[in-house]
Amino acid sequence: MTARIIDGKAVAAALRAKLARQVATLPFRPGLAVVLVGDDPASAIYVRAKDRAANAVGIAARTVRLPADTSEEALITHIARLNADPSMDGILVQLPLPPQIASQAVVEAVDPDKDVDGFHPLNIGRLASGYPCLVPCTPTGVMKLLAEAGVALEGAHALVIGRSTIVGRPMGMLLLAGHATVTVVHTRTRDLAAECRRADIIVAAAGRPQLVRGDWIAPGATVIDVGVNRLPDGRLVGDVAFAEAVEIAGAITPVPGGAGPMTIACLLENTVTAALRRRSSG
Ligand code: NAD
């Protein structure tokens, strides 16, 4: 049996269209500031994509470009200005930052109510406590894909590969909130293949090309591949050996075109959410 392909591009396009309709009814344009420090080419591509996608749904996006030698203090001063700017509903600092800047200090400098990446410790704590908050975009996108694919979470064995603060950990918390039985594995896990074989749902976010083999997957399991890896020959692949997995899984996301497009769409959704919360309380 061949797995059903979960089309992240289509789900993301539908979410963007819904957001555009919602924004069109608002008496104001939500504002998003994207801060880019330095000239890392991959970051520049991501930032351009975010800017374009935001403007396309009616969000007023502004990219703040700062030189690579910007000090931590200067960056935090810029963020303070954006925090105080009432037209800015969302603030995102593109990571990674140059080595002279401590990312954690910068993440903590963003107003938690404008933290559309959901990386501020207050938002992470709220998520862990089950309170409403701005939730990191990539795991939110994965939850939407699981919902779209009609995957039942309650009681399911869900395996998250990776424990980063950006993807793996919040992913585990969201699956737990959805009543799955959650296992989070990482580089010190003893038997990754055995953990995978037990799972009804696998979310792979290790950043290791084709780490998850087809014979690690339980027949009919749902596989969401968050990994984005460039091979030496230039091909883009996920953390799952797709050609093998597609023969065994029940449903699977491709790379590209699976989890990737959802991240930006969820960032736009977080911006609209932040705008509505701020402007109704302000
Ligand atoms: P990270 O490097 O911060 O974390 C990787 C995690 O995977 C670590 O916790 C590590 O312990 C675990 N890991 C690594 N190798 C492993 C192995 N062999 N076995 C078990 N666990 C292992 O990476 P990240 O920022 O969480 O990103 C993970 C992947 O997801 C990357 O490929 C990244 O490019 C991709 N990503 C995609 C999107 C998107 O929008 N699609 C967004 C964020 C990250």
Side-chain angles (χ1 to χ4, degrees):
M1 195 191 79
T2 306
R4 188 154 46 94
I5 307 296
I6 304 171
D7 185 351
K9 251 170 138 171
V11 181
L15 176 56
R16 289 198 308 271
K18 189 188 107 190
L19 290 169
R21 287 194 297 275
Q22 188 183 3
V23 169
T25 66
L26 298 177
F28 59 87
R29 280 188 86 186
L32 171 66
V34 181
V35 182
L36 175 62
V37 185
D39 39 27
D40 175 61
S43 292
I45 291 171
Y46 288 138
V47 163
R48 253 199 314 277
K50 288 169 186 177
D51 190 279
R52 213 176 303 131
N55 283 303
V57 301
I59 291 170
R62 189 205 319 159
T63 302
V64 180
R65 285 190 176 75
L66 300 172
D69 62 357
T70 301
S71 69
E72 184 177 309
E73 198 188 355
L75 175 55
I76 288 177
T77 304
H78 273 282
I79 293 171
R81 236 177 263 144
L82 295 168
N83 284 342
D85 182 342
S87 71
M88 283 300 150
D89 299 290
I91 302 168
L92 176 160
V93 182
Q94 185 66 38
L95 302 176
L97 289 165
Q100 75 277 12
I101 301 176
S103 307
Q104 190 58 20
V106 172
V107 165
E108 291 184 19
V110 174
D111 178 345
D113 292 337
K114 297 188 177 189
D115 169 38
V116 284
D117 260 339
F119 295 163
H120 192 287
L122 199 68
N123 283 319
I124 305 269
R126 284 177 181 150
L127 177 61
S129 311
Y131 297 132
C133 61
L134 292 166
V135 180
C137 305
T138 302
T140 301
V142 171
M143 293 302 281
K144 287 184 192 293
L145 291 178
L146 290 171
E148 184 66 27
V151 177
L153 296 181
E154 197 166 323
H157 281 278
L159 180 76
V160 180
I161 308 177
R163 58 174 165 181
S164 72
T165 41
I166 293 174
V167 189
R169 279 171 208 240
M171 189 71 251
M173 290 194 264
L174 288 175
L175 289 164
L176 206 50
H179 309 295
T181 300
V182 180
T183 304
V184 179
V185 294
H186 46 79
T187 43
R188 316 278 172 90
T189 296
R190 290 210 188 100
D191 190 346
L192 181 57
E195 298 295 345
C196 285
R197 288 188 185 111
R198 261 199 291 277
D200 304 306
I201 300 163
I202 297 175
V203 180
R208 298 283 177 273
Q210 301 169 324
L211 171 71
V212 178
R213 310 311 309 188
D215 65 354
W216 295 11
I217 295 168
T222 302
V223 180
I224 309 284
D225 192 351
V226 176
V228 181
N229 311 288
R230 182 77 63 187
L231 294 181
D233 66 7
R235 268 188 310 139
L236 208 61
V237 297
D239 289 355
V240 178
F242 183 85
E244 296 171 15
V246 76
E247 299 300 330
I248 297 170
I252 189 167
T253 58
V255 175
M262 293 303 294
T263 297
I264 292 186
C266 291
L267 168 71
L268 307 180
E269 186 178 53
N270 272 355
T271 305
V272 173
T273 301
L276 293 173
R277 284 199 193 135
R278 287 185 55 252
R279 300 194 193 224
S280 65
S281 66

